[in-house]
């Protein structure tokens, strides 16, 4: 039997229908589709796909378990390395990671590793068999660490992963989270139609089942300090507070009514449930015409959310070209299918208002010049090419930096000029016993990179505690 050259397609909601709801866009594989796709895996001995995964999921082994019809076993295999597989199967940039190194991708399309990871995870969640193997976890426990206390600050993917792995070693773990709910960007940033919050709830629940305690509404650096956490008997701390402070363009008119940071806009809709207004009391009024500035995943999510809130014309305004857009190609494709218009090689220079509200956004046309430090051709303004875009709302999605609340109020914690915490290869900060990872170290990056950093930090915390003099 010859192998299918292309990935088994995934069925999804029709674009005309889905812009009227917040339900997840792709439906996921059924049993037959998953088996067909897993059959494409060649079981390569040198498993290059695993090298592409920051948390080293045993990919060929879980594919084999699907082929053998044992989806429960496939889940146990994935969970040995990945505490959030249902999330990663949906939002990982697989095309640049595991799938990029898949041997099938040399001549054909790579195996759909992410889609199969999602299938395995959903299958086990739906059937209640989504437990990490208690036998495997028991084997991981280290007697010298049993019951010793470690604190994790932040419950995003970095913090959740660190907490799960620390608990597996037998440590007593407490997560301190500033918001009233868990998940970080998974909850307040990535919209329901890409990552249903019921999935985040289930992933968090399975981490709690490992014995992790979660304390909400505690802003470390304000209501509790790092020193006070140590005073409470915690022997080590992992900081995973992300990068939640939005950057702005610094152009005239950014303080007008109707200008949002993507962070505020998405938090209102996702965390504060503005999409259910008036049932939930958080209004977001977008009007008919919305411009989103930026072209990453955050920009695509904002644009697609604005469409679902009823905006007729939604534009992505980006100063570079299409092949320089940082968003996943799947997200750009979905956005265009939903009628989002790309205004590429355009740089906003001012937002003009009438009676305190937005009326127009002034843009300058750009062309591509020589390559810059990032290796991409630099956008150069075309003189006197200014033009006006009629808009009611502008959403700025050009990146985030870490919030300085924790770093400014913690002694001896070295930071970069842009606010990121400085760590060494082992994720250790300048303060003894304090480790950090995720967006707070790298700046805005990806879920799986944050998880990888959380895992690395746990190995370092384990060694630190085992070697501690008063152990
Ligand atoms: P976060 O997820 O930001 O979590 C940090 C947590 O710490 C938060 O819960 C925060 O409330 C808490 N916190 C902050 N300060 C304090 C404090 N002082 N005390 C206590 N708690 C605190 N990545 C992908 O891989 N694929 C995607 O498709 C994708 N889409 C994205 C879409 C959007 C809209 C956004 C914003 C990001 C997206 N990303 C995506 C990036 C990805 O979500 C982040 O890289 C990842 O969430 C970083 O994880 P983290 O744990 O470091 O931080
Ligand atoms: Fe690929 Fe992400 Fe899964 Fe790793 S976690 S195997 S990179 S989809
Ligand atoms: Fe299977 Fe691709 Fe990994 Fe080979 S590289 S084992 S084909 S997923």
């Amino acid at each position: 039997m010859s192998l299918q050259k292309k990935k088994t397609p995934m069925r999804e909601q029709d674009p005309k229908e889905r812009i009227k709801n917040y339900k997840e866009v792709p439906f996921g594989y059924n049993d037959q589709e998953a088996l067909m796709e897993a059959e494409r895996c060649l079981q390569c001995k040198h498993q290059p796909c695993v090298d592409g995964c920051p948390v080293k999921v045993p990919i060929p082994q879980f594919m084999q378990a699907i082929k053998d019809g044992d989806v429960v076993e496939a889940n146990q295999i994935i969970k040995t390395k990945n505490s959030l597989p249902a999330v990663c199967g949906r939002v990982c940039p697989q095309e640049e990671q595991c799938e990029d190194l898949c041997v099938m991708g040399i001549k054909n399309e790579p195996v759909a590793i992410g889609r199969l990871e999602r299938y395995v995870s959903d299958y086990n969640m739906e059937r209640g068999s989504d437990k990490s193997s208690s036998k495997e976890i028991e084997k991981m426990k280290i007697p010298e660490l049993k019951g010793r206390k470690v604190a994790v600050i932040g419950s995003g993917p970095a913090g959740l992963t660190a907490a799960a792995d620390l608990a597996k070693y037998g440590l007593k773990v407490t997560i301190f989270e500033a918001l009233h709910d868990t998940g970080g960007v998974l909850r307040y940033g990535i919209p329901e139609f890409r990552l249903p919050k019921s999935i985040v709830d289930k992933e968090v629940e399975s981490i709690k089942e490992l014995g992790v305690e979660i304390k909400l509404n505690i802003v470390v650096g304000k209501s509790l300090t790092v020193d006070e956490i140590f005073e409470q008997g915690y022997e080590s701390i992992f900081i995973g507070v992300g990068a939640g402070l939005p950057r702005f363009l610094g152009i005239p008119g950014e303080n007008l009514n109707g200008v949002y940071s993507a962070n505020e806009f998405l938090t209102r809709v996702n965390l504060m449930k503005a999409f259910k207004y008036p049932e939930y009391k958080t209004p977001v009024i977008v009007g008919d015409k919305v411009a989103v500035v930026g072209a990453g995943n955050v920009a695509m999510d904002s644009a697609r959310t604005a469409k679902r809130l009823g905006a007729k014309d939604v534009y992505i305004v980006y100063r570079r070209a299409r092949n320089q857009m940082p968003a996943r190609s799947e997200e750009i494709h979905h956005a265009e299918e939903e009628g989002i218009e790309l205004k590429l090689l355009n740089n906003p220079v001012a937002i003009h208002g009438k009676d305190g509200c937005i009326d127009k956004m002034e843009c300058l046309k750009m062309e591509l010049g020589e390559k810059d430090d990032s290796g991409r051709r630099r956008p150069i303004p075309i003189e006197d090419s200014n033009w006006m875009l009629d808009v009611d709302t502008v959403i700025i999605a050009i990146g985030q930096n870490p919030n300085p609340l924790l770093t400014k109020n913690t002694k001896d914690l070295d930071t970069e000029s842009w606010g990121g915490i400085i760590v060494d290869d082992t994720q250790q900060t300048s303060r003894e016993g304090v480790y950090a990872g995720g967006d707070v170290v790298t700046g805005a990056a990806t879920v799986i990179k944050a998880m990888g950093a959380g895992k690395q930090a746990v190995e370092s915390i384990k060694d630190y505690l085992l070697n501690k003099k008063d152990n």
Side-chain angles (χ1 to χ4, degrees):
M1 191 183 71
S2 67
L3 289 174
Q4 266 174 228
K5 293 193 167 162
K6 294 200 163 186
K7 287 180 181 175
T8 308
M10 195 186 278
R11 291 158 294 115
E12 52 188 36
Q13 274 199 75
D14 184 85
K16 286 199 195 76
E17 279 310 307
R18 70 188 191 227
I19 56 168
K20 295 183 221 148
N21 67 55
Y22 290 85
K23 289 190 207 137
E24 194 171 10
V25 170
F27 294 129
Y29 282 154
N30 60 26
D31 295 348
Q32 198 191 355
E33 290 161 340
L35 188 58
M36 259 163 63
E37 188 57 25
E39 293 287 359
R40 296 180 66 232
C41 173
L42 305 169
Q43 294 294 312
C44 313
K45 286 228 160 47
H46 61 306
Q47 43 188 40
C49 47
V50 179
D51 292 336
C53 170
V55 298
K56 304 281 174 262
V57 168
I59 297 165
Q61 290 79 355
F62 96 73
M63 295 282 166
Q64 187 58 52
I66 302 176
K67 291 190 213 179
D68 295 342
D70 196 345
V71 190
V72 176
E73 171 69 10
N75 195 44
Q76 305 282 7
I77 293 170
I78 295 171
K79 285 230 153 179
T80 57
K81 297 287 177 187
N82 188 349
S83 319
L84 305 170
V87 171
C88 294
R90 287 170 164 83
V91 305
C92 248
Q94 296 109 12
E95 60 283 2
E96 296 165 13
Q97 297 179 333
C98 51
E99 293 182 16
D100 187 38
L101 299 184
C102 172
V103 168
M104 274 296 275
I106 298 171
K107 287 196 180 150
N108 306 301
E109 282 187 0
V111 176
I113 301 169
R115 290 176 181 178
L116 285 169
E117 195 171 11
R118 169 189 167 161
Y119 161 76
V120 169
S121 221
D122 289 1
Y123 177 104
N124 284 279
M125 278 182 175
E126 278 157 23
R127 290 159 175 83
S129 45
D130 184 44
K131 304 273 175 272
S132 299
S133 157
S134 47
K135 252 199 271 161
E136 285 300 317
I137 292 173
E138 229 17 73
K139 273 196 254 161
M140 288 176 75
K141 296 236 180 316
I142 300 175
E144 297 93 311
L145 297 183
K146 194 157 178 274
R148 292 170 71 182
K149 284 166 62 176
V150 176
V152 170
I153 309 174
S155 69
L160 288 173
T161 303
D165 283 12
L166 289 164
K168 285 178 188 166
Y169 282 141
L171 286 152
K172 197 165 177 324
V173 187
T174 307
I175 299 182
F176 296 97
E177 165 57 51
L179 294 175
H180 65 266
D181 211 341
T182 50
V185 169
L186 307 179
R187 174 94 49 195
Y188 75 74
I190 305 180
E192 180 79 17
F193 54 84
R194 258 199 331 121
L195 179 61
K197 301 313 146 207
S198 56
I199 298 286
V200 181
D201 289 339
K202 284 181 190 151
E203 302 268 48
V204 171
E205 220 29 64
S206 73
I207 289 171
K208 279 198 203 157
E209 278 165 16
L210 296 169
V212 172
E213 181 190 19
I214 303 182
K215 293 193 174 173
L216 301 171
N217 298 311
I218 296 186
V219 184
V220 178
K222 201 169 175 201
S223 41
L224 182 72
T225 64
V226 162
D227 290 320
E228 285 165 345
I229 294 178
F230 277 125
E231 282 161 22
Q232 289 180 13
Y234 292 92
E235 294 185 60
S236 181
I237 297 177
F238 173 74
I239 302 175
V241 294
L245 191 72
R247 278 189 227 140
F248 283 93
L249 293 159
I251 59 173
E254 264 187 309
N255 55 353
L256 285 166
N257 278 338
V259 180
Y260 293 96
S261 70
N263 197 304
E264 181 194 345
F265 177 71
L266 290 169
T267 302
R268 275 173 177 256
V269 178
N270 296 327
L271 187 70
M272 316 294 285
K273 307 257 188 294
F275 67 93
K276 290 189 178 166
Y277 181 80
E279 186 191 332
Y280 283 77
K281 309 271 174 247
T282 319
V284 176
I285 296 152
V286 292
D288 281 343
K289 292 175 181 290
V290 177
V292 179
V293 182
N297 288 325
V298 183
M300 296 305 136
D301 284 345
S302 303
R304 296 173 70 198
T305 299
K307 194 81 184 175
R308 283 161 175 77
L309 287 171
K312 289 199 181 76
D313 301 315
V314 183
Y315 312 103
I316 291 282
V317 180
Y318 183 47
R319 66 197 180 110
R320 294 177 181 265
R322 177 183 275 269
N323 62 0
Q324 299 177 320
M325 292 170 76
R328 292 185 62 196
S329 47
E330 183 179 315
E331 300 315 324
I332 300 170
H333 169 71
H334 276 147
E336 286 193 294
E337 274 188 336
E338 290 169 12
I340 313 290
E341 201 181 313
L342 306 184
K343 300 247 177 235
L344 302 172
L345 289 167
N346 278 294
N347 197 25
V349 289
I351 303 167
H352 299 279
K354 224 194 227 165
D355 307 324
C357 293
I358 302 175
D359 182 35
K360 292 184 179 358
M361 188 164 81
E362 184 177 343
C363 301
L364 188 62
K365 291 196 173 151
M366 312 291 275
E367 61 189 352
L368 291 180
E370 296 300 310
K371 286 188 179 165
D372 63 15
D373 293 345
S374 71
R376 298 180 297 178
R377 288 179 66 195
R378 191 191 300 272
I380 299 173
I382 303 175
E383 221 176 303
D384 294 332
S385 64
N386 301 46
W387 62 283
M388 296 288 183
L389 180 65
D390 276 348
V391 278
D392 303 307
T393 299
V394 173
I395 302 168
I396 315 282
I398 56 165
Q400 293 103 241
N401 287 338
N403 189 319
L405 209 58
L406 182 144
T407 46
K408 284 263 178 296
N409 294 313
T410 306
K411 276 192 302 254
D412 304 326
L413 196 62
D414 291 350
T415 55
E416 306 277 2
S417 55
W418 50 270
I421 297 178
I422 298 174
V423 295
D424 67 13
D425 291 351
T426 70
Q427 306 295 136
Q428 184 176 355
T429 68
S430 52
R431 238 187 110 156
E432 193 192 321
V434 180
Y435 297 78
D439 283 6
V440 72
V441 166
T442 55
T446 65
V447 169
I448 196 68
K449 284 193 178 139
M451 291 175 65
K455 273 190 166 304
Q456 170 61 58
V458 170
E459 292 312 300
S460 309
I461 292 173
K462 177 190 80 177
D463 294 344
Y464 168 70
L465 293 178
L466 290 174
N467 293 324
K468 227 173 133 206
K469 287 206 178 65
D470 55 359
N471 179 12

